[in-house]
Amino acid sequence: MKELLKRSVYEHRASLDRREYSSQELTRAYLNAILEKNEALGAFLYVDEEGALARSVESDRRMRCGEERGFLEGIPYSLKDNIAAQGLPMTCASRALEGYVSPYDATVTERLTAAGAVLLGKNNMDEFAIGSTGEQSAYAMIKNPHDTRRVAGGSSGGSAAAVAAGLVPFSLGTDTGGSVRHPAAFCGTVGFKPTTGLLSRHGVAAMASSLDCVGILSRSVEDCRAILKILMGKDARDMTSFCGKDAKEVGSREKPRIAILRWDEDDCVSAAVRGAVKQAQERLTASGAQCSEEVLPNPKNILAAYTVLSACEAASSLSRYDGVCFGRRGDDTTLSALYRTSRALIGDGAMAKILFGMDMLSSEGRQRYYLHALRAREELCEDVKKITEHYDLILSPVAATSAFEIGSSTKKDQALCSALCGVLANLSGLPAISLPMGRDENGMPLAVQLCAGKEKDLYLLSLAQRLMTGEEY
Amino acid sequence: MEYTKQKVKALAETAHVFLDEERIDTLCKLMENMEDLAVFSEDVVLPTELFEDAITIDGMREDSLEECMKREDVLNISPAHTDGCITVPRTVEEGI
């Protein structure tokens, strides 16, 4: 029998149905695993042992009494620490929010609770979701469960490490420029970024508002799909959200057309990652899909647009941490002193992004950068629309390499390539998923990315599931 | 734009951030890295009649914040996408 903590949501659900174990026993098992492994991994910032056990007991009671149960009844999960859960700390891994306790649930938290899921705690992350390695938390570095000398990826590194290490069967993260998909790839889990607006962001700390999405990290595509169905849909408290019924379940062609994405200078992708993409392509072709190469125009502009827009929006979003409305309030008596005390608590990565964004919004920066970035984004959306009109899916790497050693970082061209693979879906609003695809010579997970047209989230997940199982189209 | 110590310091002052010398050096490097990525090819053509008004860099409405300072309950607001509004950079014409 598969090890208890490595089982998927569907497997736990079946076992809970058969009364092989109770939700309380399952919750206790995950809590013990967190206690044992978290110090080495830095995956959790806060564990709500008491609350989790109370929720699991209540869940067991509902199941015993035959009350109507949600799909996730009794199943534990975790949240990235920028997603609100009532009564629990929410720091965004920053000292600037140390001690803050959320007075309400984010909509996604609310929907998981309504489905019966049991929240175990909050996952570590790069501070304010700015970072791609998991090394930028103000509290602890996040390490890769497959090799603790290596990074877990970021910014949802804690969520990915927790799922991969069997500390939780699924987790919610956020994805602004690949922040769910990169750590999922490095840790060997499934990582899904939905169409922008499909999941409510009410109660999610803003980093770059036109790019931020809530995403799902899970052990299987099947789990991801079930969780998406619970979470998706219009939320009156988030005017950017839309009705999930629009998420198209079925694609237009019997034999899907797949674009294998290429671009200038993509030769920096490691041989192992290329092998993973090749393997995915072969599986897709063997299943009846039609694959052909498609060149992505102007990759430099895409990266530049993301760099500028994410910084400008982050400068706007993070300016609220002033110690007045948000952020730690000191004993200062003047506004200026209060700003200084409060903002001094923001780490280097986030501060650099804020200052850079401010500069991009100055009159000179706006002319030279910000307006160009807006235009480049428009052009990208037009290019991507053309590709997704012709193809059902886009296949690409998620990152140029597998997880690298902490502190080493990758070569510059590889870092750029990884960033490009991540930001494309955020700038254009497309759904995208990172899928595990073998291991490299060091035993580290490899992954590929599939993207689909806007609102074709469920279709993307159904094709991704077929890719993973080898089922024919 | 070159991120000299002086420039970073000035930006930090605008944002009411106090930085020591060592931190300024670190931020200069990080911002230069970002600038390296922010290079557009020349074929990006700008639309002509975009924003006319000036941009407020810090954008804070200090009078209302002074008022907020007197209240304790405002700390109960979550620093989140509270109403889902897209808080794109605040320019005058966007109403802030």
Side-chain angles (χ1 to χ4, degrees), chain A residues 100 103-104 201-202 204 209 212 237 240 301 304 319-320 339 343 346-348 359 361 365-366 369 375 416, chain B residues 1 3 7 15-16 23 37-38 40-41 44-45 51 55 60 65 71 76-78 80-84 87:
Chain A
Y100 174 77
Y104 72 98
R201 300 182 301 179
H202 171 72
V204 179
S209 291
D212 292 341
R237 293 167 295 185
T240 65
N301 283 348
S319 66
R320 71 190 68 183
Y339 280 163
R343 290 177 177 173
I346 297 175
D348 289 340
D359 199 25
L361 291 173
R366 175 172 154 260
Y369 296 98
R375 182 66 190 137
L416 298 185
Chain B
M1 293 185 200
Y3 288 103
K7 172 148 189 172
H16 301 277
R23 200 160 183 219
L37 295 177
F40 294 95
S41 60
V44 177
V45 181
F51 315 105
I55 303 262
M60 291 288 178
L65 284 173
R71 297 171 52 187
N76 288 329
I77 306 165
S78 171
H81 289 276
T82 47
D83 58 0
T87 52

Side-chain angles (χ1 to χ4, degrees), chain A residues 119-415:
Chain A
L119 177 61
L120 297 189
K122 308 295 289 292
N123 290 120
N124 201 357
M125 55 186 280
D126 286 302
E127 184 177 11
F128 288 120
I130 296 170
S132 58
T133 62
E135 297 170 290
Q136 300 292 328
S137 166
Y139 297 97
M141 192 172 288
I142 308 164
K143 294 173 182 170
N144 195 307
H146 298 276
D147 179 350
T148 52
R149 293 167 302 174
R150 293 173 188 268
V151 299
S155 62
S156 309
S159 294
V163 173
L167 308 186
V168 76
F170 77 94
S171 181
L172 297 189
T174 58
D175 192 316
T176 303
S179 280
V180 160
R181 291 159 287 146
H182 278 161
F186 281 6
C187 293
T189 73
V190 169
F192 176 63
K193 175 222 165 278
T195 298
T196 306
L198 187 59
L199 302 193
S200 167
R201 300 182 301 179
H202 171 72
V204 179
M207 195 275 260
S209 291
S210 76
L211 302 162
D212 292 341
C213 289
V214 174
I216 300 163
L217 296 110
S218 62
R219 300 190 72 85
S220 74
V221 179
E222 194 184 25
D223 284 357
C224 182
R225 184 186 168 89
I227 296 159
L228 177 69
K229 283 185 168 178
I230 289 163
L231 295 178
M232 70 188 202
K234 177 79 182 163
D235 176 13
R237 293 167 295 185
D238 179 354
M239 61 191 271
T240 65
S241 66
F242 62 87
C243 183
K245 285 177 189 164
D246 294 337
K248 296 178 181 60
E249 178 94 34
V250 185
S252 53
R253 297 180 190 89
E254 221 171 86
K255 301 280 183 192
R257 287 186 196 163
I258 318 282
I260 316 289
L261 205 59
R262 300 294 311 266
W263 59 94
D264 291 343
E265 299 168 12
D266 68 354
D267 50 357
C268 61
V269 175
S270 75
V273 172
R274 278 178 190 285
V277 174
K278 182 88 181 152
Q279 189 186 343
Q281 184 183 344
E282 284 167 3
R283 278 199 210 173
L284 288 163
T285 308
S287 305
Q290 298 165 2
C291 298
S292 47
E293 287 191 0
E294 190 70 31
V295 176
L296 179 70
N298 286 323
K300 255 188 184 174
N301 283 348
I302 296 168
L303 270 180
Y306 177 81
T307 304
V308 172
L309 294 176
S310 65
C312 291
E313 294 182 15
S316 171
S317 299
L318 300 183
S319 66
R320 71 190 68 183
Y321 301 106
D322 49 26
V324 181
C325 292
F326 309 116
R328 267 178 82 179
R329 183 185 287 189
D331 298 327
D332 308 287
T333 51
T334 67
L335 188 60
S336 180
L338 189 63
Y339 280 163
R340 284 171 189 269
T341 313
S342 183
R343 290 177 177 173
L345 297 168
I346 297 175
D348 289 340
M351 184 54 72
K353 193 131 184 159
I354 292 169
L355 298 182
F356 184 73
M358 282 173 53
D359 199 25
M360 296 294 104
L361 291 173
S362 66
S363 51
E364 188 191 350
R366 175 172 154 260
Q367 282 301 330
R368 282 181 61 184
Y369 296 98
Y370 183 62
L371 300 185
H372 276 85
L374 290 176
R375 182 66 190 137
R377 185 179 193 174
E378 271 175 36
E379 287 179 358
L380 166 70
C381 290
E382 285 160 20
D383 291 337
V384 164
K385 193 173 172 210
K386 280 178 205 156
I387 297 175
T388 54
E389 276 171 358
H390 188 69
Y391 294 96
D392 298 292
L393 294 180
I394 302 169
L395 171 66
S396 72
V398 190
T401 65
S402 56
F404 43 85
E405 289 189 6
I406 290 168
S408 70
S409 197
T410 47
K411 290 178 192 162
K412 192 175 175 186
D413 54 350
Q414 289 181 324

